[in-house]
Amino acid sequence: MSLLKNVGTIGGLTGVSRVFGFARDMLLARVLGAGGVADAWQLAFQLPNIFRRLFAEGAFASAFVPLFNRRMKTEGDLSEARRFGEDVLAVLIPTLIVFGALALIFMPWIAGLFANEGTAGDAALFDHAVLMARITFPYLLFMSLATLCAAVLNSLSRFAAAAAAPILLNISLLVALTWGALQPDSEATRIATGFWLAVAVSVSGLLQLLWLGFFMHRAGFKLSLRLPRITAGVKELGVLIVPAVFGAGVYQIARFIDLFFLSTLPDGSYTYLAMADRWNQLPLGIIGIALGTAILPSLSRFLAREESDEAARLQSNAIELAMLLTLPAAVALWITGSAFTRVFFVGGAFTLEDALVTGTVVGGLVIGLPAYVLVKVLTPNFFARKDTRTPVFTAAASLVVTVALNFLLVPRLGVMGLAIAGSVGAWCNVALLLMLLGTKGYFRLPGRIAGRILRIALASAIMGGALWLLMPPLDAWFSGSVIERMVAIGAIIMAGLASFGIAAAALGVLDKGTVQRLMRRQA
């Protein structure tokens, strides 16, 4: 399949999941509001998810996929790849059980590190946060095993099942929230809803594992359980994972830092950042994760066959496609973020003031949206070469910048300072990755692609001007009736699409040659 088709498959199914996620967050805002149980729930939900994204989706996939693809190439069949997968599974299960048991035991101390004043200062609420975190933590075990299944499927170019799996999480949470929405509005209802949300998280992890295991078996790839052995392949995977935890997981490590700084901010800050990040994660998930997932197996195969020109072509196409999709999205959300938060989140326990604060945080986050996506696109070039060390240094440098800016901005700007600091750090990471790709001779951005990116930026700026002019006349509609809100947000979306499309066509951003290049078969 071509890059565009693969990204379309992954991004399309991820988009369906994000729609369910928006429905989930809209209902969550109305049932739990901001602060109190809502902040306690966000803390409990973030802890296993950060570990999942850091170790399972980030480091594990980045290290496992190139090694798995190399064994597919050298053996000419799947036998060696299957043995490698079974050896990894045998070590992974006991490791996860021990880590999970320790986390459950020490959860009060772990939660205490990141709980804000509102949660930590209320003994009953803090105990409920610890309970919810303990209930959700088995999700990490299930999802780590599910990630192994997903990595196998992606290596076999079967992207759809893994991309669709997160839909099960959002459906499970929607079931719990629907129960809460049908109960009388009270603190007891919010506490009970938090409990059932935690249960739904772990249940969804088991469902995703069963879902991916079924499709892996259907693809003709079955992993048998073995006794744990530290084989040469497992050792090699471990060596690659250690730096990949830092390199591929810089975004998640930054989230840990965010949790620490959030603990110093007023009640409601957890919820504002989580709700704002939903808008940032929409294009990041659809575009960034889709691109990174799609190109890593193909890059690994091209480099294993010593086809460096094809690898460079694929990398260039991925960068261009990333900028074509994220630059206009970032500009649009920066200008219209408060419109979207008012239209979709205001209601029930979530006030207009909550939505306005959340909208400002959206603006800070999306400054770094193209950078976050480029990190997802550039790091596979290192991982495909089994170079997981270089991203460590770029991630470390970006984290230093982020933390320094957090100390400078958070006391002055509050939660908005966190968003801006993370965005600046992400751009520093991109600059270093591009520089080191060129220095090591892995990849240099062609002047043709750089010129196209400049034209994409100009078209995005023209679209931004049109949206900026449209916002004031529609301001009252964003907080009006349901019909007025839908009309207003529809006008914003149509104006953005039309203005960018016209500008892009006039500037030659979209043409037949570009589409044909992106549709070319990958490997």
Side-chain angles (χ1 to χ4, degrees):
M1 295 177 70
S2 70
L3 175 63
L4 197 58
K5 287 182 178 178
N6 283 338
V7 172
T9 298
I10 302 168
L13 289 168
T14 302
V16 173
S17 176
R18 300 297 177 176
V19 170
F20 278 99
F22 271 117
R24 176 195 84 192
D25 284 348
M26 289 170 64
L27 200 52
L28 185 69
R30 284 161 171 76
V31 175
L32 298 186
V37 176
D39 275 7
W41 156 249
Q42 293 293 348
L43 174 63
F45 187 50
Q46 288 296 331
L47 289 175
N49 269 290
I50 288 175
F51 282 114
R52 171 182 65 86
R53 292 168 182 160
L54 180 61
F55 295 106
E57 291 182 0
F60 181 82
S62 301
F64 179 85
V65 170
L67 297 180
F68 187 87
N69 274 272
R70 189 179 69 185
R71 283 160 174 78
M72 287 174 61
K73 170 187 177 293
T74 55
E75 292 296 314
D77 57 38
L78 296 179
S79 59
E80 178 63 19
R82 181 177 288 106
R83 284 195 295 272
F84 173 63
E86 290 173 346
D87 289 339
V88 171
L89 179 64
V91 174
L92 185 61
I93 290 176
T95 301
L96 289 169
I97 291 174
V98 172
F99 179 79
L102 291 173
L104 293 178
I105 293 170
F106 293 104
M107 189 60 69
W109 290 272
I110 297 172
L113 287 174
F114 303 111
N116 62 11
E117 295 178 5
T119 302
D122 184 330
L125 184 61
F126 179 74
D127 288 344
H128 192 58
V130 172
L131 174 63
M132 289 190 293
R134 281 174 166 158
I135 294 171
T136 61
F137 221 80
Y139 180 70
L140 175 63
L141 167 65
F142 296 135
M143 288 308 300
S144 297
L145 297 176
T147 298
L148 173 61
C149 299
V152 171
L153 287 168
N154 289 340
S155 296
L156 298 173
S157 296
R158 308 288 181 89
F159 296 108
I167 298 173
L168 297 172
L169 168 64
N170 288 319
I171 291 175
S172 300
L173 293 176
L174 279 169
V175 170
L177 284 167
T178 301
W179 176 87
L182 295 175
Q183 306 306 308
D185 183 18
S186 67
E187 186 66 14
T189 293
R190 286 187 278 275
I191 291 173
T193 302
F195 173 84
W196 289 116
L197 282 170
V199 172
V201 169
S202 287
V203 169
S204 75
L206 177 59
L207 292 175
Q208 290 179 76
L209 174 58
L210 294 174
W211 168 271
L212 291 169
F214 168 77
F215 280 98
M216 184 176 70
H217 187 270
R218 188 177 178 183
F221 199 95
K222 182 180 179 181
L223 295 178
S224 301
L225 290 177
R226 298 185 175 193
L227 291 175
R229 291 188 309 121
I230 307 299
T231 62
V234 171
K235 286 182 181 178
E236 187 177 16
L237 179 68
V239 169
L240 293 177
I241 278 181
V242 172
V245 165
F246 207 91
V250 60
Y251 181 72
Q252 302 310 321
I253 294 172
R255 294 301 297 271
F256 266 127
I257 295 172
D258 287 349
L259 286 177
F260 171 77
F261 281 97
L262 278 169
S263 68
T264 67
L265 295 176
D267 195 34
S269 298
Y270 279 110
T271 303
Y272 297 144
L273 185 61
M275 292 299 187
D277 194 46
R278 170 58 60 184
W279 293 101
N280 191 46
Q281 286 290 329
L282 178 63
L284 177 58
I286 294 176
I287 303 165
I289 295 173
L291 277 168
T293 301
I295 68 173
L296 179 56
S298 295
L299 277 174
S300 300
R301 287 192 286 271
F302 282 140
L303 294 173
R305 296 196 296 255
E306 298 183 355
E307 297 176 2
S308 55
D309 289 344
E310 287 297 300
R313 174 190 63 79
L314 178 60
Q315 184 71 80
S316 296
N317 288 347
I319 292 173
E320 181 181 355
L321 184 57
M323 291 298 94
L324 178 62
L325 297 174
T326 59
L327 277 176
V331 171
L333 284 172
W334 188 72
I335 292 171
T336 66
S338 65
F340 281 91
T341 57
R342 279 182 282 171
V343 167
F344 288 100
F345 290 156
V346 172
F350 203 82
T351 66
L352 176 60
E353 182 181 355
D354 293 332
L356 291 173
V357 175
T358 303
T360 62
V361 179
V362 171
L365 287 173
V366 298
I367 293 172
L369 174 59
Y372 288 129
V373 172
L374 280 175
V375 169
K376 298 285 186 183
V377 170
L378 295 175
T379 50
N381 205 310
F382 294 98
F383 298 141
R385 303 170 193 272
K386 296 192 294 183
D387 179 2
T388 56
R389 296 182 179 274
T390 298
V392 171
F393 300 109
T394 65
S398 71
L399 275 179
V400 169
V401 172
T402 300
V403 173
L405 287 174
N406 278 336
F407 279 109
L408 178 66
L409 298 178
V410 171
R412 294 170 174 80
L413 302 177
V415 67
M416 180 65 168
L418 277 174
I420 294 174
S423 295
V424 174
W427 280 111
C428 291
N429 198 3
V430 169
L432 289 172
L433 286 170
L434 282 171
M435 182 184 72
L436 290 172
L437 281 171
T439 301
K440 291 176 174 288
Y442 294 167
F443 173 77
R444 295 182 188 277
L445 186 68
R448 171 181 56 82
I449 300 298
R452 296 187 70 85
I453 292 173
L454 287 175
R455 281 181 279 168
I456 293 169
L458 181 56
S460 300
I462 293 171
M463 175 203 66
L467 293 177
W468 182 76
L469 292 173
L470 187 60
M471 283 288 287
L474 294 174
D475 187 71
W477 288 51
F478 298 133
S479 304
S481 66
V482 173
I483 294 177
E484 288 175 335
R485 293 185 190 191
M486 292 301 102
V487 169
I489 212 67
I492 288 289
I493 293 172
M494 293 305 296
L497 290 173
S499 57
F500 180 77
I502 293 170
L507 294 169
V509 171
L510 292 173
D511 54 37
K512 184 177 179 181
T514 300
V515 175
Q516 289 177 339
R517 242 183 331 103
L518 296 176
M519 289 291 291
R520 183 177 172 183
R521 190 175 180 85
Q522 282 181 244

